[in-house]
Amino acid sequence: MIKFNLFIKTLLLALVVSGIAACGGGGGGAAAPTPTPTTLTLSGTINISIDTNADSDLNDTQAPVVANDNIATAQAIFNPVNLGGYVNRPRAGDTGRSFENGDISDFYSVSLIANQNITLRISDPITSASPDLDMYLYPSTCNDSTCGSSSCSVNNASGFATRSILETATEALTAPSSGDYFLEVCAFAGASNYSISISQNIASAALPSLDQDFMPGEVIVKFKTNQLLAKSGVINTLASRAASIGMQPRSRGNGRVMLMALGDEVQRQGTFSTLAMAWGKSAKRQTYATDPKIQLKMDTLSVIDSLRQRADVEYAEPNYIRQASAVPNDPFYINQWHYPLIN
């Protein structure tokens, strides 16, 4: 479709330029002859992948509408899938079918495999007055009375299996186990087109969800050693690197991987300022002020998202908590004293 539109635009531009050339020139000459209209016939085939789908209640007044605003009307989708949709708060976004009353939530029913990724990408730019979309994943046993359908209100959501409620342009969920689920995409603020991608259980570039097990307030960072900050005095040491991004040094491993910490709320505010991040830009921070652990996990992921956008950072990720799933059958395992020490 993109190549087709580009061809049409190029063709029209060529016709306009040729028309201007025919009408131009110096004075005194005879009037240019009227060009003979040309009729063109274009043909071709547009193939849409079988794993492509779309939200059934878009903002388009010309499109047919099938409501998917709650669990009872959830739209069935395939897996894997690439899906496009739109949600908005009342009187937010472009004028259209849902502008006045809003289309806060889209619900989908889908079968997932354990550890499978669901990635949400917000199409509109993230600014101080930006859209903020979230995701909730509910078990198939939920209905609109037994599980509190969020309508993107973090205080009303209950019974969900996992959720992603950050303030970033890309968010992700991981299916906790294989089975049938209801997926909610909702507008916490503003309006935006979005895309949903459900893929195999491979590593995702998106941030993890709040429900994944990682140390709140800790970040693992690896800097690009050949790209030092322009600020004078910044060298590739743990203390200097940590100071350059407003964080506290913890430890440094082989390959110059560094563990850093955010500190208390006052120190976190300084980190946000150093990274040119807005502190408390939305009602979401105020909502979680009564839950310090959730707030700290949100701040941790927001800082990681900011670090990943820096030219001098190779990667940034949470300090995940991992648990042993089996005891080795090595007969000499009991003599290896160091493994129990690291749990």
Side-chain angles (χ1 to χ4, degrees), residues 70-322:
N70 49 47
I71 288 178
T73 60
Q75 176 183 344
I77 58 175
F78 293 107
N79 175 13
V81 70
N82 290 297
L83 180 147
Y86 178 85
V87 287
N88 69 291
R89 305 296 294 190
R91 299 193 65 79
D94 295 332
T95 301
R97 179 195 61 80
S98 63
F99 176 75
E100 286 292 336
N101 298 322
D103 178 17
I104 299 177
S105 293
D106 290 335
F107 279 84
Y108 304 97
S109 61
V110 61
S111 295
L112 300 172
I113 301 171
N115 300 318
Q116 198 165 25
N117 294 324
I118 306 171
T119 304
L120 167 70
R121 293 179 176 85
I122 300 174
S123 301
D124 291 5
I126 302 298
T127 64
S128 58
S130 67
D132 182 5
L133 307 191
D134 294 332
M135 286 192 298
Y136 292 80
L137 193 65
Y138 298 90
S140 61
T141 53
C142 279
N143 58 50
D144 290 312
S145 60
T146 60
C147 294
S149 301
S150 77
S151 293
C152 229
S153 172
V154 292
N155 293 321
N156 293 336
S158 63
F160 53 83
T162 184
R163 60 183 171 174
S164 179
I165 51 174
L166 303 178
E167 296 176 297
T168 53
T170 303
E171 302 191 21
L173 293 177
T174 301
S177 60
S178 298
D180 297 331
Y181 292 91
F182 295 108
L183 172 66
E184 178 187 14
V185 179
C186 57
F188 182 88
S192 180
N193 292 302
Y194 64 84
S195 65
I196 288 287
S197 176
I198 300 179
S199 59
Q200 296 181 9
N201 54 336
I202 56 177
S204 171
L207 292 169
S209 71
L210 290 174
D211 300 296
Q212 288 187 257
D213 208 7
F214 62 88
M215 288 296 295
E218 293 188 0
V219 177
I220 295 174
V221 189
K222 184 176 182 183
F223 290 91
K224 298 177 181 177
T225 56
N226 61 341
Q227 291 189 15
L228 301 183
L229 296 178
K231 182 179 178 181
S232 175
V234 176
I235 57 178
N236 199 39
T237 64
L238 174 61
S240 185
R241 286 293 198 180
S244 73
I245 57 176
M247 298 186 69
Q248 300 177 12
R250 283 291 182 266
S251 63
R252 176 172 177 170
N254 293 332
R256 295 186 172 87
V257 176
M258 301 179 182
L259 176 64
M260 301 182 184
L262 293 175
D264 60 27
E265 187 168 353
V266 174
Q267 293 166 327
R268 296 204 306 271
Q269 189 169 355
T271 302
F272 273 53
S273 177
T274 302
L275 295 175
M277 298 168 58
W279 177 259
K281 75 175 185 180
S282 75
K284 190 172 285 185
R285 170 176 289 279
Q286 300 174 9
T287 299
Y288 282 107
T290 57
D291 193 334
K293 182 177 179 180
I294 292 294
Q295 183 63 74
L296 182 54
K297 293 185 81 171
M298 290 180 66
D299 290 346
T300 303
L301 295 179
S302 296
V303 167
I304 290 172
D305 182 62
S306 179
L307 290 174
R308 288 179 175 182
Q309 300 175 43
R310 291 172 61 98
D312 61 329
V313 172
E314 184 172 331
Y315 63 79
E317 60 185 32
N319 187 11
Y320 289 105
I321 299 174
R322 303 301 189 194

